[in-house]
Amino acid sequence: MVNVAILGFGVVGSGVAEVLTGTGEGIRRKADDLLALKYILDVRKFPDSPFAPCFVQDFSVIENDPEVQVVVETIGGMGAALDFTERALKAGKSVVTSNKELVATHGRRLLALAAEHQAVYLFEASVGGGIPVLRPLSECMAANAILEICGILNGTANYIFTRMVQDDIPFEQALKDAQAKGYAEQDPSADVEGKDTCRKLCILSSIAFGWHLLPEQVPTRGITQITLADEAYAAACGRRIKLLGRAIAREDGTVCPYVEPHFVSQEDPLGGVEDVFNAILVKGDATGDVMFYGKGAGKLPTASAVVADVIAAARKLERASYRPWAPNRPEAVASPDTLATQWYVRLAQGELAGERLTIPQAQAGESGWLTPAMTRPELDRALAGKDVLAVIRVLD
Ligand code: HSE
């Protein structure tokens, strides 16, 4: 029997407890004879919870209990989560997490620490919620050189776009709904400002390219400026707006990572991804395009990925461990300013070279445009002196 401790009893942590003990709706544990939930660490008290006997408030109880072999970190953030992860690994306990901020920033060091102490550090739930993507990318696509990763990686942002378009509701209302459904981060600015997508892109890229890409190396733009007018212009040219994280491998050995909203064709598989779903397109040199698709946020999808990792750690599968990440390579990070694409531009006044878009609800004088392919610095020169309301990259 393998004893498990959960750190943090929030949306994901409570889902993990339910799934592990078989009380969860919709998912049943697959390792009844293998796993036992021994502790839940939280600063809050839950006297009415069915898990009340498991609660502790002092991490050293878990750290010093030799019966605990697997620790689930669902605290989030970088403070206590980092401290407890390091201490658990140093005590030889495997750690499973959904904490993308921690993995994106400290993944290389924590993977090495786990290996040093004959433990594993697993984080399938940190990217794509319930979608199995990290282990397939790491193992099943191991024979490929990865040419590009392009993904809808934030369920909250995608849910907001869907509600805005389908229900014609404003951004703030759609965000409130996403929070109520347990999709958004504790601080939802990470979702809508693109930081969550950035962290997930760093984790995918570090696995795909084999060296640790850091969040501060990824130019990141979120979705807070997107309006219903921009959505209407997108529809006018057969497109949808999607927040994408992209990392493109170049022939010179550099990688161009960035996070931005994009106009995506409705014909493109990414253009049809709605609601809380995520989709991750991985281009391998042997496989061609491979698409991973599923629910990217929410209590039970995320708990499903966490518990699968707990089972893998409990079985001490050597293969469960990711390959170590080589150190960061600042010289190998290319700027998206070098990337020539079409652009959507909304002007308050005036004209622009390119295809003019029209929508019935346009304000007087306002116009939408699709430019020819050009880099962002070239676009900025073309827009100098113009009254610009919005600029969004078009996915080619
Ligand atoms: N806030 C995240 C999202 C949760 O909306 O995608 C899953 O990582």
Side-chain angles (χ1 to χ4, degrees):
M1 182 66 74
V2 170
N3 287 287
V4 179
I6 298 172
L7 315 182
F9 197 63
V11 173
V12 179
S14 60
V16 171
E18 289 173 21
V19 174
L20 267 179
T21 56
T23 57
E25 293 285 323
I27 302 176
R28 291 282 172 252
R29 63 184 167 157
K30 295 283 188 295
D32 301 54
D33 53 346
L34 182 68
L35 305 174
L37 176 59
K38 184 156 187 187
Y39 299 113
I40 300 173
L41 178 88
D42 203 290
V43 287
R44 299 162 295 175
K45 292 201 166 77
F46 296 87
D48 301 326
S49 162
F51 306 109
C54 296
F55 279 90
V56 292
Q57 294 193 311
D58 178 0
F59 178 69
S60 59
V61 174
I62 295 167
E63 184 180 22
N64 296 322
D65 185 339
E67 287 189 350
V68 174
Q69 289 109 314
V70 183
V71 172
V72 173
E73 185 273 296
T74 49
I75 300 171
M78 304 259 272
L82 176 58
D83 179 32
F84 297 162
T85 298
E86 286 176 334
R87 285 165 59 186
L89 291 174
K90 282 179 186 163
K93 301 176 194 307
S94 289
V95 176
V96 170
T97 190
S98 58
N99 185 339
K100 46 257 161 167
E101 187 176 3
L102 195 60
V103 179
T105 310
H106 295 288
R108 173 177 137 71
R109 199 165 58 75
L110 295 172
L111 280 170
L113 191 62
E116 198 182 316
H117 293 275
Q118 290 75 51
V120 289
Y121 184 50
L122 298 176
F123 37 86
E124 182 64 66
S126 66
V127 178
I131 308 170
V133 59
L134 297 187
R135 225 176 296 159
L137 177 61
S138 172
E139 290 177 19
C140 311
M141 294 187 74
N144 288 258
I146 302 302
L147 307 177
E148 180 174 347
I149 295 165
C150 180
I152 294 171
L153 298 170
N154 185 269
T156 300
N158 208 55
Y159 177 85
I160 290 172
F161 286 139
T162 299
R163 296 297 312 279
M164 284 173 76
V165 170
Q166 291 183 358
D167 303 338
D168 202 24
I169 61 171
F171 182 96
E172 291 73 21
Q173 180 58 48
L175 172 59
K176 275 201 187 112
D177 291 357
Q179 288 176 291
K181 286 179 181 286
Y183 299 157
E185 299 299 295
Q186 275 167 9
D187 173 5
S189 66
D191 296 295
V192 297
E193 289 172 5
K195 285 182 247 165
D196 182 77
T197 297
C198 165
R199 291 165 186 153
K200 291 166 176 168
L201 184 69
C202 288
I203 297 169
L204 287 164
S205 299
S206 300
I207 289 179
F209 303 120
W211 53 272
H212 193 175
L213 177 70
L214 294 166
E216 59 265 31
Q217 294 172 310
V218 181
T220 297
R221 246 182 82 199
I223 64 166
T224 52
Q225 309 297 317
I226 307 284
T227 64
L228 285 168
D230 297 319
E231 291 282 10
Y233 280 112
C237 58
R239 292 179 168 88
R240 295 289 307 275
I241 302 175
K242 298 289 169 192
L243 179 64
L244 299 182
R246 288 182 88 187
I248 304 161
R250 310 194 138 196
E251 283 183 4
D252 63 3
T254 61
V255 173
C256 172
Y258 70 96
V259 173
E260 279 179 31
H262 287 69
F263 268 32
V264 180
S265 167
Q266 287 169 10
E267 310 294 316
D268 189 296
L270 292 171
V273 175
E274 300 289 2
D275 209 274
V276 74
F277 283 82
N278 284 188
I280 303 140
L281 180 81
V282 180
K283 285 184 205 282
D285 66 344
T287 56
D289 291 357
V290 175
M291 179 82 104
F292 299 91
Y293 174 81
K295 282 192 177 159
K299 179 172 173 164
L300 290 182
T302 310
S304 156
V306 171
V307 176
D309 274 352
V310 171
I311 293 169
R315 289 181 179 151
K316 295 192 177 23
L317 296 178
E318 290 261 314
R319 284 190 313 123
S321 178
Y322 302 111
R323 279 174 295 158
W325 296 351
N328 178 245
R329 297 180 55 206
E331 76 289 355
V333 180
S335 164
D337 279 354
T338 56
L339 199 63
T341 59
Q342 285 190 284
W343 298 86
Y344 153 76
V345 177
R346 182 157 58 95
L347 295 177
Q349 301 263 319
E351 301 214 330
L352 197 61
E355 179 189 343
R356 185 175 186 142
L357 305 173
T358 51
I359 57 169
Q361 63 270 47
Q363 302 290 315
E366 185 184 293
S367 57
W369 302 85
L370 280 184
T371 73
M374 63 182 84
T375 65
R376 181 68 203 231
E378 287 167 345
L379 178 72
D380 288 341
R381 283 195 286 280
L383 295 178
K386 297 195 187 297
D387 196 350
V388 179
L389 297 173
V391 171
I392 299 177
R393 198 187 279 275
V394 179
L395 184 70
D396 37 37

